[in-house]
């Protein structure tokens, strides 16, 4: 019999999550039935959505939700999945789990041995797909345009900026430290600045693109978005991807009041969830994998060692300690 370690939500988060809000438990797994298999997590993902979704979807005592991923099959009574295959699963913060195969995504057969499998959680996974569909389908970015992205050095933002460059755009990114800004310039952003140290966000955005922005890929929301919206060009498009500056608020922030710039500049603003393009996952993964292999799409991962450190990795990511995708290696 296999015993799995799992992390449960001990207490609903109030404000910023704390390690004491989580509890690690051991769970004995049942024997496999025909069609089932035992999976062992190799890498797990910590993502911003876990914070707002925990409030919406979970009760205290539940296993933490997770786009938890890249698990190795150690035993299989399901002929569709060979022992040793790697899959992307969505089974929460668990070291081991039993699955009948439903909802699992095999890594593409063209995945080279040399490429980290953890990229299936980041640049070539859900965050990369968010950038891909958000930019091409929501922003409807065109060559020659100027694209603004915030949380730019993170999992989604770093892909947004590079895809916009691949698509022939000028890209402006902002992030929360000077080393992140240096990274953005290294991977090809035309302009980048540290939003925490500029004396005026409005001036920094104007200096980076005096003519304004055609596309704004918003990962942050709140005050940043309410300032940036005023610097959109006429007919500009805003993809509302995330609002991480608001996820830990106990009291909702006031505003932004978007009506004036939206009316005067005839802007389009659209919220979206990546899973709306689940039927095009294969297309997105194939495109992202190709760009990575061609060296056009660079990646960085912030790897935290050991399953025991899942809460610390999650909290660290919310605080901005990650460069690129925050991953936990079991
Ligand atoms: N709509 C969808 O389908 C999806 C939406 N998302 C959203 O995209 C956004 C980015 O996700 P992801 O790339 O995975 O995460 P990141 O890898 O970007 O990590 C989160 C980053 O957010 C930044 N951040 C944290 N707090 C604040 C704040 N108060 N103000 C500004 N920046 C802050 C930090 O970077 P810094 O140091 O720069 O502050 C931190 O590193 C999130 O809002 C997430 O919810 C993600 C996936 C799918
Ligand atoms: C309840 C308030 C919500 C506010 C907005 C919060 C977050 C936006 C966001 O970050 C959404 C992320 C969605 C991710 C979905 C992932 C799953 O479909 C699992 C995907 C697994 C995979 O295919 O790799």
């Amino acid at each position: 019999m296999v015993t799995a370690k799992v992390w449960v939500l001990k207490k609903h988060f109030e404000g910023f999550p704390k390690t004491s809000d989580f509890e690690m438990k051991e769970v004995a797994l049942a024997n496999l039935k025909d069609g089932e298999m035992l999976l062992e997590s190799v890498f797990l993902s910590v993502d911003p959505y876990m914070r707002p979704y925990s409030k919406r979807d979970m009760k205290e005592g539940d296993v933490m939700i997770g786009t938890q991923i890249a698990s190795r099959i150690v035993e299989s009574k399901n002929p569709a999945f060979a022992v040793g295959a790697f899959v992307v699963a969505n089974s929460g913060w668990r070291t081991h789990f039993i699955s009948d195969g439903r909802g699992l995504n095999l890594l593409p057969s063209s995945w080279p041995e040399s490429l980290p499998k953890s990229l299936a959680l980041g640049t070539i996974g859900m965050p990369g797909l968010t950038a891909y569909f958000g930019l091409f389908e929501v922003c409807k970015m065109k060559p020659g345009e100027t694209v603004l992205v915030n949380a730019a050095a993170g999992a989604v933002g770093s892909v947004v900026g590079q895809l916009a460059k691949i698509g022939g755009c000028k890209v402006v990114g902002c992030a929360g430290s000077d080393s992140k800004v240096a990274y953005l310039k290294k991977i090809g952003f035309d302009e980048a600045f540290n939003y925490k140290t500029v004396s005026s966000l409005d001036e920094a955005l104007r200096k980076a693109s005096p003519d304004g922005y055609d596309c704004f890929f918003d990962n942050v929301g709140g005050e940043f978005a309410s300032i940036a919206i005023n610097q959109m060009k006429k007919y500009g498009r805003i993809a509302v991807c995330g609002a991480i500056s608001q996820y830990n608020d106990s009291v909702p922030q006031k505003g932004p009041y978007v009506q004036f710039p939206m009316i005067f500049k005839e802007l389009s603003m659209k919220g979206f969830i990546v899973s709306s393009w689940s039927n095009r996952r294969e297309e997105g993964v194939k495109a992202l994998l190709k760009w990575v292999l061609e060296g056009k799409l660079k990646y960085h991962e912030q790897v935290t060692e050991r399953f025991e450190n899942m809460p610390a990795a999650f909290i660290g990511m919310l605080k901005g300690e990650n460069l690129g995708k925050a991953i936990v290696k079991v």
Side-chain angles (χ1 to χ4, degrees):
M1 184 181 296
V2 173
T3 303
K5 288 181 197 159
V6 305
W7 277 105
V8 300
L9 178 71
K10 187 174 168 193
K11 193 169 174 311
H12 268 296
F13 307 124
E14 284 166 21
F16 218 91
K18 307 180 288 299
T19 46
S20 57
D21 297 329
F22 302 89
E23 186 176 16
M24 199 172 80
K25 292 190 169 177
E26 296 204 339
V27 179
L29 299 184
N31 291 326
L32 295 183
K33 298 193 208 90
D34 278 345
E36 289 184 338
M37 57 201 155
L38 174 64
L39 297 155
E40 183 180 61
S41 302
V42 181
F43 298 103
L44 293 107
S45 181
V46 285
D47 296 274
Y49 74 81
M50 294 165 182
R51 173 64 179 88
Y53 282 23
S54 69
K55 188 171 171 186
R56 192 191 65 173
D57 298 340
M58 292 177 66
K59 55 185 190 316
E60 290 173 357
D62 284 351
V63 174
M64 275 301 294
I65 45 170
T67 5
Q68 156 274 15
I69 323 260
S71 301
R72 179 164 44 102
I73 297 158
V74 292
E75 186 185 340
S76 178
K77 285 194 175 181
N78 182 330
F81 295 87
V83 172
F86 284 84
V87 297
V88 180
N90 192 20
S91 296
W93 294 16
R94 304 171 194 267
T95 56
H96 298 81
F97 54 98
I98 291 171
S99 166
D100 61 8
R102 273 180 291 182
L104 299 183
N105 284 303
L106 276 166
L107 264 62
S109 53
S110 55
W111 195 282
E113 224 13 77
S114 56
L115 207 59
K117 294 183 173 56
S118 47
L119 292 184
L121 298 174
T123 299
I124 316 177
M126 186 277 285
L129 294 168
T130 303
Y132 180 88
F133 292 112
L135 205 48
F136 295 122
E137 299 296 338
V138 183
C139 275
K140 299 197 184 300
M141 171 205 89
K142 294 190 282 293
E145 292 190 324
T146 301
V147 175
L148 170 65
V149 58
N150 46 21
V156 175
S158 59
V159 179
V160 169
Q162 295 182 84
L163 295 191
K165 286 308 297 175
I166 291 170
C169 291
K170 171 178 171 174
V171 182
V172 177
C174 37
S177 75
D178 292 347
S179 57
K180 289 187 181 187
V181 168
Y183 176 72
L184 295 179
K185 295 205 170 136
K186 190 172 139 196
I187 62 174
F189 280 60
D190 298 286
E191 301 284 342
F193 64 85
N194 180 343
Y195 72 91
K196 288 184 179 167
T197 55
V198 290
S199 50
S200 156
L201 194 50
D202 198 50
E203 275 171 28
L205 288 168
R206 203 175 304 282
K207 186 169 167 230
S209 180
D211 298 338
Y213 298 91
D214 300 282
C215 300
F216 171 27
F217 195 109
D218 186 15
N219 289 316
V220 167
E223 193 190 353
F224 187 104
S226 56
I227 293 173
I229 195 171
N230 290 303
Q231 298 211 19
M232 296 302 291
K233 290 187 191 177
K234 186 127 179 149
Y235 309 122
R237 287 93 60 201
I238 302 172
V240 183
C241 175
I244 196 163
S245 69
Q246 297 167 243
Y247 294 170
N248 295 306
D249 288 347
S250 304
V251 179
Q253 293 176 25
K254 283 202 166 177
Y257 303 111
V258 298
Q259 287 78 7
F260 275 30
M262 288 203 66
I263 297 164
F264 289 143
K265 293 183 178 171
E266 300 187 55
L267 305 177
S268 304
M269 189 175 192
K270 188 177 184 319
F272 72 100
I273 295 287
V274 60
S275 27
S276 292
W277 289 277
S278 297
N279 60 338
R280 289 175 59 190
R281 183 189 170 90
E282 208 179 309
E283 166 204 319
V285 166
K286 198 174 156 196
L288 294 164
L289 178 58
K290 179 172 170 284
W291 284 318
V292 167
L293 294 177
E294 288 171 354
K296 293 180 181 161
L297 179 54
K298 307 269 192 260
Y299 58 86
H300 189 277
E301 296 179 306
Q302 195 73 46
V303 182
T304 300
E305 299 278 343
R306 299 180 65 235
F307 183 75
E308 284 69 10
N309 292 321
M310 291 286 304
F314 175 60
I315 293 167
M317 177 274 300
L318 291 175
K319 283 185 183 159
E321 289 169 4
N322 59 307
L323 176 67
K325 179 71 185 99
I327 296 284
V328 174
K329 184 171 186 294
V330 178

